[in-house]
């Protein structure tokens, strides 16, 4: 394998696919190098939220970036449908975070206040609602629901169909997708990058590292830094049922096909081959307390997945000073930020420079030499 490209994107998950699709949309010749199905597929184990509320505490720029992504999602869904005929089932009529008991309601109220008090943050339009106010939108909530927060910018999509739409769009844009090509080495010579894979070398004028948690290993090859801190999550899926959830929740959503997804865990271990049933039991219990009728549904499947997660939870976008033309992109919210990656990051990569006024806050230089502890980036 040996061929010249304008850009080689390393990573074929949602983040890499969105950037590659955006570059193809701009007429660039693009190759996507994907590790293969033996890797941990974070993009196929996500919760599919287009989510704004509670993101960015401690980094106001992230609230601005997230709101921009939410507002551009309709355009992305429309362009994907026009190009591929695939409806990604974007629903964006607001989302809830429900609380159980007065203590949780008080904690959530305090979080909303802190979010609103951040200088420089975008207006989330997030507000706290009492249980009786929530019940007007979600009439099947149980008596233990004490209220919750609501944000009109929140929504969800069919994320697997979005993934398929990007890859279907690759063909129309002439993007070459190479599976089973993990990159083991990157060098720059004569103004082009050379990427070593088990099936040969690929050359490109620019590269974008979008390989999820593997960016931590790849980035230093081109003078970049991508400190990652992955976590594990579990999801429980029920059988199909009547439409009852007109708005997604942070931890519960009803898909366009009628199943109910429950995802309410965060674990430190990184083995996704087994489930912890004690964790699933807590998730199911909380879901039933929020919507008692869920107790009558059968669980049809469940899984554990590894989250892509920068060390402090916030995105990382950087370009190399020592290897001009090399970029790195890392984030947890590959679904929410897909529109920004397809339209804004792709545009900046095509132009050859990231724009500080848009993404300067997300440079890995914020970690300094000591790194950072987990924050609230997602």
């Amino acid at each position: 394998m040996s061929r010249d490209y304008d850009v080689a994107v390393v990573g074929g998950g949602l983040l890499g696919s969105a950037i590659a699709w955006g570059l193809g949309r701009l007429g660039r010749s693009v190759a996507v190098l994907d590790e293969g199905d033996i890797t941990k597929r974070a993009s196929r184990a996500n919760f599919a939220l287009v989510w704004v509320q509670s993101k960015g505490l401690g980094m106001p720029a992230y609230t601005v970036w997230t709101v921009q992504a939410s507002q551009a999602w309709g355009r992305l869904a429309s362009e994907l449908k026009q190009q591929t005929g695939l409806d990604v089932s974007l629903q964006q009529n607001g989302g809830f975070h429900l609380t159980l008991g007065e203590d949780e309601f008080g904690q959530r109220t305090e979080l909303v206040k802190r979010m609103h008090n951040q200088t420089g943050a975008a207006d989330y339009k997030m507000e706290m609602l009492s249980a009786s106010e929530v019940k007007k939108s979600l009439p099947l909530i149980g008596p233990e629901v004490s209220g919750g927060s609501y944000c009109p910018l929140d929504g969800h999509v069919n994320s697997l169909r979005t993934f398929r739409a990007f890859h279907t769009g690759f063909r129309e844009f002439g993007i070459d997708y190479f599976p089973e090509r993990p990159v083991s080495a990157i060098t720059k010579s004569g103004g082009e990058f050379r990427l070593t894979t088990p099936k040969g070398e690929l050359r490109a004028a620019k590269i974008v590292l979008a390989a999820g948690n593997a960016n931590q290993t790849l980035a230093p090859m081109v003078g970049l830094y991508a400190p990652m801190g992955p976590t594990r999550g579990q999801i429980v899926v029920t059988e199909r049922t009547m439409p009852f959830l007109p708005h997604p929740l942070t931890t519960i959503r009803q898909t366009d096909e009628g199943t109910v997804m429950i995802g309410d865990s965060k674990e430190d271990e990184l083995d996704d081959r087994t489930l912890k049933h004690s964790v699933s039991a807590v998730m199911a219990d909380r879901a039933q307390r929020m919507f008692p009728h869920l107790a009558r549904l059968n669980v049809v499947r469940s899984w554990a997945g590894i989250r892509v997660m920068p060390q402090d939870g916030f995105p990382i976008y950087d370009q190399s000073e020592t290897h001009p033309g090399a970029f790195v992109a890392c984030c947890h919210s590959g679904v929410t930020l897909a529109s920004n990656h397809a339209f804004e990051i792709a545009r900046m990569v095509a132009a050859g420079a990231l724009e500080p006024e848009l993404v300067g806050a997300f440079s890995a230089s914020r970690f300094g030499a000591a790194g950072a502890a987990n924050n609230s980036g997602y």
Side-chain angles (χ1 to χ4, degrees), residues 59-101:
M59 183 183 278
Y62 190 35
T63 70
V64 178
W65 187 238
T66 304
V67 168
Q68 179 179 341
S70 171
Q71 293 171 336
W73 239 104
R75 175 186 168 201
L76 176 61
S78 176
E79 288 199 21
L80 286 172
K81 185 175 184 179
Q82 184 175 13
Q83 182 194 31
T84 69
L86 293 169
D87 184 351
V88 300
S89 300
L90 174 66
Q91 178 191 339
Q92 228 172 353
N93 62 339
F96 287 85
H97 178 99
L98 296 188
T99 58
L100 296 170

Side-chain angles (χ1 to χ4, degrees), residues 7 107 183 270 281 313 335 377:
V7 188
Q107 292 167 10
V183 173
L270 299 180
V335 177

Side-chain angles (χ1 to χ4, degrees), residues 14-26 28 65 67-83 90 162 166 173 317 334-351 353-355 358-359:
L14 268 172
L15 192 156
S17 296
I19 294 173
W21 182 87
L23 287 163
R25 176 177 172 273
L26 296 174
R28 300 300 190 272
W65 187 238
V67 168
Q68 179 179 341
S70 171
Q71 293 171 336
W73 239 104
R75 175 186 168 201
L76 176 61
S78 176
E79 288 199 21
L80 286 172
K81 185 175 184 179
Q82 184 175 13
Q83 182 194 31
L90 174 66
T162 301
F166 278 133
F173 289 144
Y317 306 110
V335 177
T336 298
L337 299 177
S339 55
N340 281 354
H341 297 151
F343 298 132
E344 298 296 343
I345 297 297
R347 176 180 60 78
M348 288 185 255
V349 170
L354 299 180
E355 296 170 7
L358 277 181
V359 296

Side-chain angles (χ1 to χ4, degrees), residues 170-226:
F170 283 180
R171 291 195 291 271
E172 181 165 325
F173 289 144
I175 296 171
D176 287 334
Y177 172 73
F178 297 108
E180 311 297 335
R181 263 78 162 186
V183 173
S184 58
I186 307 172
T187 59
K188 188 173 187 183
S189 175
E192 67 179 10
F193 291 92
R194 299 186 174 211
L195 299 96
T196 303
T197 83
K199 297 185 179 181
E201 184 181 87
L202 184 140
R203 301 190 301 264
K206 299 174 187 172
I207 61 170
V208 179
L209 304 181
N213 295 310
N215 273 350
Q216 185 161 261
T217 302
L218 295 170
M221 297 179 186
V222 288
L224 289 165
Y225 182 44

